[in-house]
Every structure is written in structure tokens, then in C-alpha cells.
Amino acid sequence: MSDATLHSTTQDPDDFAVQIADQIESFLVAVTEVAKGDEPGSAVPFLLLEVSQLLLAGGRLGAHEDIVPDERYEPDTGPDADVDELRENLVRLLEPIDVYSEVFDPYEPRKAPVPARISDDLSDVITDLRHGMAHYRAGRTSEALWWWQFSYFSNWGSTASATLRALHSILAHIRLDQPLEELDGLDTDQGVGDDTLEFEAGRVMQQEIARPLGMRPGQ
């Protein structure tokens, strides 16, 4: 299945595989466009929307019975496409709200929050989704669905969920006029203690995110 036939009119639009592939393709295209930085003021709302829609596809995959691929061993799709440029574009676009803190597993007791980056998370998610898309475009539909379901549980589902929470928090603080306290040097190579649970934003976030959205401090 080539790029030209990904959305072929001969395919049943009600087919589960077609719907999942469409949602994933939409996410891949949208995030790539956002990362170009042409509309920085709307980047966070767009990413919130796209990640939310992707997680709907993930929820459908998660609720589906276990998908078994046609072949015992996964066919080679070749090297995964490089996402370094995409990641670097997102780093520049999302500064200074790129770094946030997240609990890796909410069901493991006494786990301290760890620092993460939205740019890293989105790049990792896209790598997983592109891998499955390579199978789908090659006509290996069951393999694609198996991979998307497996990687949803093992990686991109939790990663996208954490990213969604961070993006939601950014917009909630802006819309509710609740500035975050500005942190000094929070980064992903540091441990995050109980006294530094808020990710870096504050005054700089209001200047660089709220104002392009047409909102002013105190509005």
C-alpha cells in the first residue's frame, strides 16, 4: 500500500484499521507542521488537540482484543526515519515550557516525579507510529495494528498521556490566570524533589505563550 493509496476511496471508511491509520496519519502530519514554527502562538492548543485525538485511537487499540500479526516474525521495515530535526524544532518552539515533571508509574508507591521534555516525548511517539505506518503502507495491515497496539501499551500510550497532561496544565494556567512559579534551571539531567514539582514557565510563559494567544496577565 503506497502513500497514494493510504486513503483510497476503495477502502471501507468504517473499517477499524482504516480509521486507526487515518487518525495516526493525521497526528503525524499535524505535529510535523506545528514543529515548523509558522504559528508559534497556537502551537500548544494545536498539540493538545492532536495528542487528545491520538489517544482516542490508542484507547480503541487498547480496548480491542489482542491483535495477532499474520507472520510469526516481524518483517524488516528498514531503519526508522530520523526525528532529530523534528525534536530540535520542537525544543525551539516550546522553550521555556518544554520541561515538565511526571510520575512514571502512578501505581508504584513512593515514586518521585522525574523531569521530561514534551519535545522528546512527541518525537518518541512519532517514531513508534511511523514504524507501524511503514507496515501499513506496505500492505501489512495486521502487522501495523499489532505494532501500534503493542507499542501503545509498552511506550507511546503512557508517553502521550504524560504529554497531554503537561499541555493541558500549560493552557489551564494561562486560561485561569494562575501563573506558575518560575524555576531556576530545571532540566532533564536533574532529579526533581518535592519542592520543585512545577515545570518551568511563570512570567516567561505568559510573555511567550499567553500574549500570542491574545491573552494578557490578569485577563
Side-chain angles (χ1 to χ4, degrees), residues 53-67:
Q53 292 178 332
L54 175 67
L55 284 171
L56 173 60
R60 295 182 67 192
L61 285 164
H64 198 283
E65 62 184 6
D66 288 348
I67 298 168

Side-chain angles (χ1 to χ4, degrees), residues 9-23:
T9 56
T10 61
Q11 293 179 288
D12 182 356
D14 294 327
D15 184 77
F16 179 77
V18 173
Q19 292 176 357
I20 295 297
D22 281 350
Q23 288 181 284

Side-chain angles (χ1 to χ4, degrees), residues 16-195:
F16 179 77
V18 173
Q19 292 176 357
I20 295 297
D22 281 350
Q23 288 181 284
I24 288 174
E25 178 73 4
S26 175
F27 176 83
L28 294 173
V29 171
V31 174
T32 301
E33 287 300 311
V34 170
K36 292 178 181 178
D38 294 336
E39 299 182 27
S42 58
V44 172
F46 273 132
L47 289 174
L48 178 71
L49 176 61
E50 293 301 328
V51 175
S52 297
Q53 292 178 332
L54 175 67
L55 284 171
L56 173 60
R60 295 182 67 192
L61 285 164
H64 198 283
E65 62 184 6
D66 288 348
I67 298 168
V68 179
D70 293 333
E71 301 182 38
R72 181 176 180 182
Y73 299 103
E74 182 184 7
D76 185 13
T77 61
D80 290 331
D82 183 44
V83 295
D84 286 345
E85 182 179 358
L86 174 71
R87 179 183 289 108
E88 291 167 3
N89 287 341
L90 288 170
V91 168
R92 288 191 292 269
L93 180 65
L94 296 172
E95 188 180 7
I97 47 89
D98 191 20
V99 178
Y100 70 99
S101 58
E102 176 66 12
V103 176
F104 182 71
D105 189 335
Y107 282 99
E108 289 190 30
R110 295 179 296 280
K111 285 291 185 181
V114 296
R117 287 184 179 273
I118 297 174
S119 55
D120 286 341
D121 289 350
L122 290 175
S123 300
D124 289 347
V125 169
I126 283 177
T127 296
D128 277 346
L129 299 180
R130 282 178 175 174
H131 185 87
M133 188 59 72
H135 286 305
Y136 188 80
R137 287 174 172 154
R140 297 186 291 267
T141 302
S142 65
E143 192 74 42
L145 290 173
W146 169 82
W147 172 259
W148 285 328
Q149 185 185 61
F150 166 76
S151 57
Y152 169 75
F153 284 122
S154 64
N155 184 46
W156 72 260
S158 58
T159 302
S161 298
T163 305
L164 180 67
R165 182 172 174 80
L167 293 167
H168 172 271
S169 181
I170 294 166
L171 285 182
H173 278 283
I174 294 171
R175 300 290 172 86
L176 300 177
D177 190 23
Q178 298 174 347
L180 292 169
E181 302 222 353
E182 194 168 7
L183 300 179
D184 182 15
L186 176 63
D187 204 346
T188 51
D189 60 357
Q190 296 176 296
V192 179
D194 291 341
D195 57 342

